[in-house]
Amino acid sequence: MTTTQTNAQTFAQDSRIKEAKALLLDALRDHQNSIDGVRPPHPGMQAETHAILSRFEEQRAGSLIFPYLGSGFGKGPLVELADGSVKYDLIAGIGVYLMGHNNPLIVEANIDAALSDVVIHGNLLQNVDSTVLVDQLLQLANRDTHVFDHCYITSSGVMAGENALKITFQKKHPANRIFAFKRNFAGRTLAFSQINDKPGLRIGLPDCFPVDHIPYFDPTRPEESIEETKQAIMDRILLHRGEHAAIIFELVQGEGGFHVGQRLFFREIMKLCRSHGIAVLVDEVQTFARLETPFAFQYFGLEDLIDVVWIGKASQVCATFFRKDFAPGKGLMGQTYTSTASMVRSSLATLKHLSEGGYWGPDGKINRLARHTVSRLKAFGDETGLIEGPYGLGSMIAFTPFGGDGEKVTAFVQTLFKNGVITLTAGANPTRVRFLLPYTVLDEKEIDKTLEIVFATLRSFSA
Ligand SMILES: Cc1ncc(COP(=O)(O)O)c(C=O)c1O
């Protein structure tokens, strides 16, 4: 009998594999039953975990943000740590665990990945799954209007940004200046250490290329803000004629403190830059799959004005999207590790779930849960005066306690961690507390439970 199936396909359909998978997932669900809320560290595990963490910090020559070492188990928004504690994870490994912890869909995707050859995907060998993923990512990016002709997968958010920079510099050669916004953050390579508006992170590093930092949108003075930023751009263009290759946008600033831009602001600045031959780049590493549309550029209606976009975090793989005329010259891009079978399968499972789960749209689940969270935070702020805000957009939500005092907010977030909710600070002057809600595994009740802990901690901290 002739067959048109590969061995990989017949292997995947083997009834023993289906049975084994069903057994594994049953066992997972059974063990998840014992995780039903926040738990303190186990007294017998605390000292050992502390010692392991201290050694690890010594080995990597730097402390971790939290004493956070996962046990490798969790259930939805709850994660178990190596000290036996269980905590609500509202920052999701800074946005990666959009599908929550030990989500059976992701576990199943990883069983499939484990059974497939090619752990590491890269320059020389990628499984056919990569091509399916690139098709789906391009369809998502082009779902309203055709924007991008190409999508290149890579291993991290900042690497996707590096690829964006390289193709842009190559196209705009010899222009070598970049416009970036104040409060911008885009990762930690040498190139991005120049672009980030965080001078502290480039101490002792050599300059790669000149960057002009310009003011971001100010919602308290929308019209003046547009004019000021345009003026700042024009001043620089006149000073350095023909030298600017690109401008980089975050449509909702992530590390900078969840500051949200405005459609008119973006369109005016983008049009001005394009009219001077400056490429428009959008970093969607933190915004991808957080708003009511898959990409933030779709929410703000910027399809006609952008050239290159890159994503990461929630997408499980990282990728750079670009128009035809930005296609790289031979050899400009290439990596031994672009992703793994596990990342590609997890990404496919995540995209499938998002497309089927009623998440998108003004009344989709993302906005419903966001509205609920925002209204609870607002009511608490009005009642107690302990917080300002909330700020952000979609499932990117932040608030400012203690007038945004960096030290106090950092101490608060550490205490909140001890009390069972993992969040993170964002921004400076003011420093805020932020959530990247893992909305696929949350409902209103679960959000209320986490906010009760947040509010109790705020009250006790202020007292
Ligand atoms: C907007 C933005 N761009 C890029 C990055 C870098 O991504 P990665 O840490 O995966 O390299 C980050 C990380 O926080 C980010 O928030």
Side-chain angles (χ1 to χ4, degrees):
M1 192 180 82
T2 57
T3 172
T4 52
Q5 288 197 308
T6 60
N7 279 343
Q9 288 166 327
T10 52
F11 178 48
Q13 287 155 16
D14 188 304
S15 60
R16 289 168 296 181
I17 290 185
K18 285 192 180 148
E19 272 173 47
K21 264 170 46 173
L23 261 179
L24 286 166
L25 292 171
D26 270 357
L28 172 70
R29 289 193 185 94
D30 283 351
H31 286 264
Q32 282 182 324
N33 283 337
S34 63
I35 295 199
D36 53 6
V38 166
R39 226 164 39 200
H42 193 289
M45 297 174 176
Q46 226 172 345
E48 192 192 345
T49 310
H50 183 75
I52 293 171
L53 268 167
S54 300
R55 194 173 71 241
F56 186 52
E57 288 181 334
E58 177 69 29
Q59 287 162 336
R60 67 197 292 279
S63 55
L64 298 163
I65 296 175
F66 295 114
Y68 179 169
L69 205 55
S71 72
F73 202 74
K75 179 181 163 192
L78 291 162
V79 59
E80 184 190 56
L81 304 192
D83 62 7
S85 65
V86 173
K87 299 183 192 294
Y88 275 111
D89 183 2
L90 291 194
I91 196 67
I94 319 187
V96 180
Y97 291 87
L98 180 64
M99 297 286 278
H101 294 275
N102 267 142
N103 186 318
L105 294 174
I106 300 295
V107 173
E108 186 175 2
N110 277 276
I111 297 170
D112 293 335
L115 294 176
S116 73
D117 183 34
V118 184
V119 174
I120 305 297
H121 286 204
N123 230 355
L124 266 188
L125 185 50
Q126 325 226 8
N127 281 350
V128 73
D129 311 327
S130 292
T131 69
V132 178
L133 180 59
V134 165
D135 274 345
Q136 290 190 11
L137 287 172
L138 276 169
Q139 269 170 31
L140 212 53
N142 294 328
R143 70 171 204 170
D144 306 319
T145 314
H146 180 86
V147 186
F148 297 114
D149 307 286
H150 306 288
C151 169
Y152 192 95
I153 291 181
T154 189
S155 50
S156 73
V158 76
M159 198 58 213
E162 285 276 327
N163 285 336
L165 277 184
K166 287 202 297 181
I167 57 178
T168 305
F169 279 136
Q170 190 170 67
K171 180 172 167 56
K172 299 290 176 181
H173 181 77
N176 72 342
R177 291 188 88 89
I178 296 286
F179 277 124
F181 286 95
K182 292 190 173 148
R183 294 190 305 247
N184 170 267
F185 178 82
R188 290 170 204 266
T189 55
L190 186 53
F192 277 98
S193 70
Q194 320 288 305
I195 293 171
N196 299 334
D197 185 23
K198 288 199 173 213
L201 300 187
R202 69 176 90 97
I203 293 169
L205 303 184
D207 288 345
C208 306
F209 43 76
V211 179
D212 296 314
H213 287 101
I214 49 172
Y216 195 71
F217 178 64
D218 179 353
T220 64
R221 302 157 49 251
E223 280 160 27
E224 295 94 318
S225 168
I226 295 175
E227 290 315 311
E228 272 171 26
T229 304
K230 276 174 143 179
Q231 192 57 54
I233 290 174
M234 281 316 300
D235 289 348
R236 289 292 163 172
I237 288 178
L238 293 175
L239 206 59
H240 305 284
R241 277 180 195 279
E243 290 181 24
H244 289 93
I247 179 166
I248 299 180
F249 287 81
E250 272 178 282
L251 303 177
V252 180
Q253 292 188 313
E255 304 303 302
F258 284 22
H259 298 273
V260 184
Q262 182 214 46
R263 175 180 151 85
L264 185 64
F265 174 85
F266 292 138
R267 290 195 65 82
E268 289 294 307
I269 304 304
M270 288 178 178
K271 276 194 268 180
L272 176 68
C273 286
R274 286 177 85 87
S275 71
H276 287 88
I278 298 167
V280 175
L281 277 50
V282 183
D283 177 344
E284 293 235 24
V285 170
Q286 199 149 159
T287 49
F288 178 75
R290 307 266 180 227
L291 313 185
E292 64 183 61
T293 53
F295 290 78
F297 75 76
Q298 294 164 334
Y299 173 80
F300 287 103
L302 305 170
E303 287 87 342
D304 53 325
L305 295 174
I306 57 182
D307 295 301
V308 184
V309 163
W310 60 103
I311 62 170
K313 295 186 187 284
S315 46
Q316 309 293 292
V317 296
C318 301
T320 313
F321 300 77
F322 44 99
R323 294 183 189 272
K324 209 179 276 152
D325 52 337
F326 279 72
K330 203 168 181 327
L332 187 71
M333 276 144 62
Q335 268 177 268
T336 312
Y337 286 13
T338 49
S339 65
T340 64
S342 156
M343 288 164 75
V344 171
R345 293 285 184 137
S346 299
S347 186
L348 285 167
T350 302
L351 295 183
K352 182 168 187 295
H353 180 74
L354 293 181
S355 71
E356 293 170 354
Y359 290 103
W360 312 123
D363 293 315
K365 189 178 174 194
I366 297 176
N367 272 3
R368 275 204 327 271
L369 292 184
R371 279 197 288 265
H372 180 78
T373 312
V374 162
S375 76
R376 293 291 319 270
L377 287 167
K378 177 95 182 52
F380 178 80
D382 289 346
E383 184 200 324
T384 63
L386 292 178
I387 60 171
E388 291 156 53
Y391 308 97
L393 194 63
S395 58
M396 302 173 76
I397 300 173
F399 63 87
T400 310
F402 317 116
D405 178 311
E407 270 181 36
K408 283 190 190 157
V409 180
T410 304
F412 166 74
V413 161
Q414 293 289 346
T415 306
L416 192 54
F417 178 87
K418 283 196 196 119
N419 291 351
V421 179
I422 311 174
T423 60
L424 202 58
T425 61
N429 304 318
T431 300
R432 293 173 171 168
V433 177
R434 67 174 144 159
F435 306 147
L436 288 168
L437 294 182
Y439 55 77
T440 65
V441 289
L442 284 173
D443 58 21
E444 282 83 352
K445 252 172 58 191
E446 210 84 42
I447 288 174
D448 289 348
K449 282 194 217 162
T450 58
L451 288 181
E452 267 167 38
I453 301 171
V454 174
F455 295 157
T457 308
L458 273 166
R459 283 198 165 98
S460 68
F461 215 79
S462 304

